[in-house]
Amino acid sequence: MFKINIVIPVLFFLVSCGGGGGGGSAADPAPIPMPTVSISANPVSLFVNEQAAISWSSTNSTACEASESWQGVKSTSGEEIYTITVDGSHVYKIKCTGGGGSTESSVTVIAEYKAQFHEEPIVINDPKLYPQVCNTDYSEAQPSIQFAIPVDINNDGWEDFMVHQWCDLYRDKFGDVIQNPTPDLIVVHLSNGDGTYRDGNQEIFGEDIPSLGGASRKYDRGDLNGDGRDDFAFAMNWEDGRNGDPWEYHRASPAIILSKGETEYEVIKVGTPDWGHAVTIVEHDNGNVDALFAGFTGIGLQAYRYSSEGWLDVKDEYPPENIMSDDGFNIIDIGTASWNTEFKHQDNYIVATDQSTNYLERGLALWFRENNVWSKVDQKLTPIEFFINQISWQGSEGSAAVYLVNGEYSIDYTPETMCFFEDKFDDSGNTTFLGLFATSFHKEGRAIIEGETYNQNNFNTSQEVKVFQIQDNKMVEIESPFNIYDNQVFANFLDCRDLNNDGYTDFSRNAFSRSYGYETPRLRGGTPIININTTQGQMVEYENNQSYEMPGHELLLDAGHGQGFPRDINGDGIEDIVVYGETMRNEFNNYDGSIHVYLGYYDFVLE
């Protein structure tokens, strides 16, 4: 049923009454109209770091004032553009005032984070040069990939890539004594300036298949010849799965990729072949730049400086090392440094692996340079509890030190890789560095017994993190700044630099996806683990703070195999993600050797 309401208007008539004496009264003044105001936004929903146009207009007003997401005195009409930098609801309210009072109005803009990286990667295909190199009777048909080094070679604003590949032994030859070199090659992916790449070996090195001369362990970059371009120094070896005894069959010459001309490079071999493991480039206040190398076969520290007359041996400008016999077991010249595993340089400091004079404690030493003289100013050592016999993954047998780590016996306790924080870590003004200490716990939780023999496969590896600040030339360990740290993820290479342009150093573990010797595999296709500095000296694991995962190589997401790092590839000031395989063996989802680059939309921002 419908209900009908009938409204009957009522009319009121005002009748003037006459009277004696009279004139009429004056008319009432017209009421002052109330102000009106309207406001709109275009668009009303957007992604963080996009812009919204706020427009407003009013009538019967003389002044307007903004509040909520914008502030201040505004004209009675206008338009302003705002970049929305955080997610959520943003209310733009305006109140306009006139003689008749005031009126307010508002509009809401909704901002949300879009995926930080492009959904589709730039794919850089491998040119498949390795069949011409991995063709020995002892090496695999597909190589391992140790580095994909980003560097803008041709000055087009895009990073190019120098990729070092080397050929592992056949699996059935692991532990064999091999005297021949580890085959290797360099591949240059040269940018076309538009997100595509070409094979650049001939353009850059003047040859189809350049080589470093073996397996590379670590590298450092710096301007060694003073031409303003990056050069690269490599710790080299033949550590490809062959037996570790005799040691001399692991030796390879230190190598340098040195710039020449405007865009070319050449490979330089320097020094004495060694089982290279550590390298750093040291810049002096007087402009000299040195490449330092160290390894495991008794060669000791090597230091070289470029000059127009050739490479100068400048080892005497650095602390002497213990010099070992060829078998690596007997000290033939006792020095004061032991840098074979790792060392890093920054701000007149060198942090290096070290040991006590009786060799029963191992850890770190701090060296300081003053008036070009190096002095050991501090040590942080951990005592060795006892020794066991261990058969390595390469088949060699030898003694292994046992330490007490977190209340549990473990094998080895070595600062395997380190980095200085390039920018400030906090507001203390102290130089800060980080070390990853590799150690191994028994897989079955068994007690480790002195003098017994164990296979390396009996242990799960752990990488413990320690952070130190240098205070009055002392290494002071600080409380772990990490809100989350997984010690069963393995990383050889680190980024300790500002990833989001806030002036504070962030941290990236460029983790291997594989998990040899680790309990928990990381099946992420090379996605790095990134921790963002809160600017208060706290490191928050980035993905744990987000509602999505960073991308990995799409062919390796479930393969337990891959590596990667953050880097601004296209020169827009925003970090991108580079991911690629650790090896090209095709049991890993038909991995084709390609590099995937996911361009970023915005900086690493904590929610």
Side-chain angles (χ1 to χ4, degrees):
M1 172 183 289
F2 292 95
K3 181 177 180 179
I4 301 176
N5 293 323
I6 300 175
V7 179
I8 301 174
V10 180
L11 302 180
F12 296 91
F13 296 93
L14 181 63
V15 180
S16 297
C17 299
S25 63
D28 293 333
I32 299 174
M34 285 283 293
T36 66
V37 61
S38 62
I39 186 170
S40 62
N42 183 28
V44 294
S45 63
L46 43 67
F47 291 116
V48 170
N49 290 326
E50 292 184 340
Q51 293 182 328
I54 308 300
S55 303
W56 73 98
S57 62
S58 66
T59 61
N60 305 320
S61 65
T62 56
C64 297
E65 185 173 2
S67 60
E68 301 280 348
S69 295
W70 61 339
Q71 300 289 325
V73 175
K74 305 294 181 183
S75 62
T76 56
S77 63
E79 180 180 274
E80 293 182 2
I81 307 298
Y82 287 89
T83 300
I84 311 299
T85 58
V86 295
D87 66 333
S89 297
H90 301 266
V91 177
Y92 293 85
K93 182 180 289 186
I94 191 165
K95 180 180 181 180
C96 292
T97 303
S102 61
T103 303
E104 62 182 29
S105 184
S106 65
V107 65
T108 299
V109 178
I110 305 296
E112 63 179 352
Y113 288 105
K114 65 180 173 183
Q116 183 168 347
F117 300 96
H118 288 235
E119 184 176 350
E120 295 297 323
I122 294 172
V123 178
I124 304 174
N125 292 311
D126 184 76
K128 300 293 189 295
L129 301 177
Y130 56 82
Q132 302 171 64
V133 175
C134 300
N135 58 1
T136 72
D137 61 358
Y138 55 88
S139 59
E140 287 273 8
Q142 295 91 20
S144 291
I145 306 172
Q146 182 74 336
F147 299 114
I149 301 174
V151 53
D152 186 1
I153 300 172
N154 55 6
N155 302 311
D156 65 356
W158 284 72
E159 297 286 87
D160 309 295
F161 292 93
M162 290 187 187
V163 179
H164 190 221
Q165 304 173 5
W166 49 272
C167 312
D168 283 306
L169 293 188
Y170 284 117
R171 289 300 178 264
D172 60 3
K173 291 186 177 295
F174 264 29
D176 287 1
V177 175
I178 306 293
Q179 301 182 29
N180 295 320
T182 300
D184 78 294
L185 69 156
I186 301 169
V187 175
V188 177
H189 297 291
L190 202 59
S191 164
N192 297 314
D194 59 1
T196 62
Y197 287 80
R198 65 185 185 273
D199 178 0
N201 279 0
Q202 273 290 345
E203 293 177 65
I204 304 308
F205 286 97
E207 54 183 310
D208 291 332
I209 306 180
S211 165
L212 287 180
S216 54
R217 182 62 180 83
K218 295 173 184 171
Y219 81 93
D220 198 10
R221 70 168 73 206
D223 184 5
L224 290 168
N225 57 5
D227 66 354
R229 297 172 58 199
D230 279 342
D231 307 301
F232 305 90
F234 296 84
M236 300 294 299
N237 56 53
W238 293 350
E239 185 182 334
D240 53 12
R242 67 187 66 192
N243 198 300
D245 183 19
W247 287 26
E248 57 262 35
Y249 296 150
H250 278 274
R251 290 174 172 168
S253 294
I256 291 172
I257 295 180
L258 189 70
S259 59
K260 65 176 185 177
E262 293 185 359
T263 59
E264 293 82 23
Y265 278 91
E266 61 182 329
V267 176
I268 306 291
K269 305 291 180 61
V270 297
T272 303
D274 194 3
W275 186 339
H277 195 272
V279 60
T280 197
I281 291 177
V282 176
E283 298 177 354
H284 295 264
D285 296 336
N286 61 8
N288 291 332
V289 182
D290 304 332
L292 276 60
F293 307 91
F296 292 135
T297 58
I299 305 303
L301 180 69
Q302 301 187 65
Y304 293 92
R305 180 179 301 157
Y306 176 85
S307 77
S308 58
E309 300 176 355
W311 292 90
L312 305 177
D313 186 340
V314 294
K315 178 179 177 178
D316 290 343
E317 296 184 21
Y318 293 91
E321 272 206 316
N322 294 336
I323 305 302
M324 309 292 290
S325 60
D326 285 345
D327 61 11
F329 290 104
N330 297 310
I331 300 169
I332 58 177
D333 187 5
I334 297 178
T336 58
S338 178
W339 295 1
N340 51 11
T341 301
E342 177 69 310
F343 55 92
K344 294 295 182 186
H345 167 266
Q346 183 167 304
D347 299 333
N348 288 319
Y349 289 105
I350 286 178
V351 176
T353 52
D354 199 13
Q355 56 193 354
S356 61
T357 55
N358 62 6
Y359 307 107
L360 295 180
E361 295 178 291
R362 297 176 184 171
L364 291 176
L366 177 67
W367 296 81
F368 178 64
R369 180 181 60 194
E370 189 172 22
N371 298 323
N372 289 324
V373 176
W374 289 96
S375 301
K376 184 189 290 187
V377 293
D378 196 19
Q379 285 181 308
K380 288 288 184 184
L381 304 180
T382 302
I384 297 172
E385 300 294 323
F386 53 83
F387 290 88
I388 61 167
N389 298 316
Q390 185 179 34
I391 301 171
S392 76
W393 66 278
Q394 299 153 302
S396 58
E397 184 173 350
S399 64
V402 176
Y403 298 81
L404 192 61
V405 177
N406 300 328
E408 185 177 353
Y409 284 141
S410 68
I411 309 302
D412 293 327
Y413 191 55
T414 306
E416 189 169 44
T417 186
M418 299 185 293
C419 64
F420 278 94
F421 288 96
E422 296 180 10
D423 298 280
K424 63 182 179 180
F425 171 76
D426 55 23
D427 294 327
S428 68
N430 297 318
T431 298
T432 307
F433 70 93
L434 176 148
L436 296 184
F437 287 66
T439 193
S440 299
F441 299 94
H442 200 284
K443 286 182 178 179
E444 299 175 5
R446 294 181 182 177
I448 301 173
I449 300 174
E450 182 175 3
E452 289 198 357
T453 298
Y454 298 84
N455 192 296
Q456 189 171 353
N457 295 330
N458 297 142
F459 298 92
N460 281 325
T461 306
S462 174
Q463 271 193 333
E464 307 293 323
V465 63
K466 290 181 177 291
V467 180
F468 299 87
Q469 291 195 332
I470 300 175
Q471 302 175 15
D472 298 323
N473 281 351
K474 300 293 183 182
M475 292 181 290
V476 178
E477 184 178 355
I478 65 173
E479 184 178 352
S480 174
F482 295 94
N483 71 325
I484 296 174
Y485 178 82
D486 185 350
N487 61 5
Q488 293 184 342
V489 170
F490 178 75
N492 273 336
F493 315 116
L494 313 174
D495 272 320
C496 292
R497 59 188 177 87
D498 184 5
L499 298 176
N500 57 5
N501 299 307
D502 66 357
Y504 291 80
T505 294
D506 307 302
F507 177 65
S508 172
R509 278 190 287 169
N510 304 336
F512 287 126
S513 288
R514 68 162 171 80
S515 57
Y516 304 151
Y518 291 82
E519 286 188 34
T520 307
R522 178 174 165 81
L523 307 179
R524 294 293 305 280
T527 304
I529 301 175
I530 290 175
N531 291 81
I532 298 300
N533 194 327
T534 64
T535 75
Q536 303 297 318
Q538 299 297 308
M539 292 288 190
V540 173
E541 187 176 293
Y542 184 66
E543 283 188 300
N544 189 62
N545 183 256
Q546 307 299 303
S547 56
Y548 64 91
E549 290 186 341
M550 291 186 295
H553 197 293
E554 61 185 8
L555 296 179
L556 300 170
L557 290 178
D558 299 314
H561 159 66
Q563 54 188 317
F565 54 84
R567 183 79 175 189
D568 179 10
I569 299 302
N570 60 351
D572 64 356
I574 296 173
E575 295 286 329
D576 311 308
I577 293 292
V578 180
V579 286
Y580 55 100
E582 184 216 348
T583 178
M584 290 190 193
R585 290 191 301 279
N586 279 329
E587 68 251 35
F588 300 110
N589 294 357
N590 295 314
Y591 174 57
D592 57 5
S594 62
I595 299 171
H596 284 188
V597 179
Y598 290 87
L599 297 180
Y601 283 113
Y602 57 88
D603 284 329
F604 291 99
V605 178
L606 295 176
E607 291 186 352

